[in-house]
Amino acid sequence: DPSEGIVRGRRFVHPKLGFTYTAPEGFILDNTAQALFGVKADGAQALRLDVVRASPDVPITDYLNSAWVEGIERHTIRQITINGLPAATAVARNEAWNFRLYVVRLHGDVYRFIFAAKHGGDGAERGFHDSMATFRPLDAAEAEIRPYRLKIVRVSSKDTIASLARRMAVAERKAELFRILNALSPDQRLKPGDLVKLVVD
């Protein structure tokens, strides 16, 4: 449902809640009603973002002490600011993963980020830090973003799967998505006059 946020490549925009966020390089995002999930193509890094109602009287660091995630190293908890917003961060670990946690207060809610990297993952911490710097309130123009829509087009004699796929308003695997969307087998070709679906802005 677009009212629960819109994914544009690595960027997530939530007009109703009034924020935007961009995942680290190489992440693929999946939005659900419960949370935003992301995973890096090699499976060595992942993220989760959700939101909880929060009392303004509760210190932001207390949300990292609320048994939200097991294995938090208490000495790593510190209060920070992200784009002028009160926030806090900490580290947690288990046998297979390192976790970088962030909580950010915005519009009376607390946004909770879990970034996970398999042990030995190089450069993950910097990517998570840079990604958090993109979390900010939406401006009025950004709040007007609309979800993608389907458009029906008639195939011309000059069209190919590749040329039509290039018109798709998606970031990756355009030709693969075009074939799936139009129930085309890997070796099937288009015929002039066929009607096909495109994902467009």
Side-chain angles (χ1 to χ4, degrees):
D1 187 333
S3 70
E4 293 169 349
I6 297 169
V7 172
R8 287 286 188 272
R10 292 187 297 118
R11 189 176 180 221
F12 181 65
V13 180
H14 203 307
K16 186 175 179 181
L17 294 179
F19 76 91
T20 181
Y21 162 74
T22 301
E25 195 76 38
F27 270 67
I28 298 171
L29 296 180
D30 181 26
N31 189 32
T32 72
Q34 293 74 37
L36 176 71
F37 296 94
V39 64
K40 202 163 185 181
D42 62 5
Q45 297 177 29
L47 70 85
R48 175 190 167 105
L49 162 62
D50 65 11
V51 58
V52 293
R53 299 301 294 175
S55 168
D57 300 325
V58 177
I60 190 70
T61 51
D62 284 9
Y63 290 95
L64 291 173
N65 281 311
S66 60
W68 164 47
V69 174
E70 294 183 2
I72 292 178
E73 299 180 353
R74 305 294 173 185
H75 69 279
T76 67
I77 296 176
R78 58 190 177 93
Q79 191 161 345
I80 59 174
T81 301
I82 295 175
N83 289 318
L85 303 170
T89 186
V91 169
R93 304 181 199 281
N94 65 23
E95 292 181 357
W97 295 83
N98 295 327
F99 303 93
R100 169 58 71 176
L101 313 175
Y102 291 90
V103 290
V104 188
R105 195 188 299 273
L106 173 65
H107 303 318
D109 295 324
V110 168
Y111 292 82
R112 308 185 301 184
F113 289 81
I114 303 175
F115 293 98
K118 288 184 178 178
H119 292 326
D122 296 328
E125 184 74 15
R126 170 53 60 184
F128 299 158
H129 173 81
D130 291 347
S131 175
M132 282 307 304
T134 71
F135 182 88
R136 59 177 175 78
L138 284 178
D139 61 36
E142 290 172 316
E144 297 299 317
I145 189 170
R146 298 183 306 166
Y148 291 141
R149 57 193 174 86
L150 288 179
K151 181 179 181 181
I152 307 296
V153 300
R154 192 174 298 278
V155 176
S156 75
S157 59
K158 296 181 180 179
D159 287 327
T160 64
I161 287 176
S163 68
L164 288 169
R166 283 194 294 272
R167 294 165 57 183
M168 299 266 282
V170 293
E172 299 179 353
R173 300 181 179 179
K174 296 185 180 217
E176 182 179 346
L177 179 58
F178 179 84
R179 284 187 178 278
I180 292 170
L181 194 61
N182 291 287
L184 298 171
S185 63
D187 57 351
Q188 190 170 345
R189 297 176 181 271
L190 297 175
K191 294 179 294 187
D194 285 349
L195 295 175
V196 293
K197 298 181 285 291
L198 299 178
V199 177
V200 299
D201 275 320

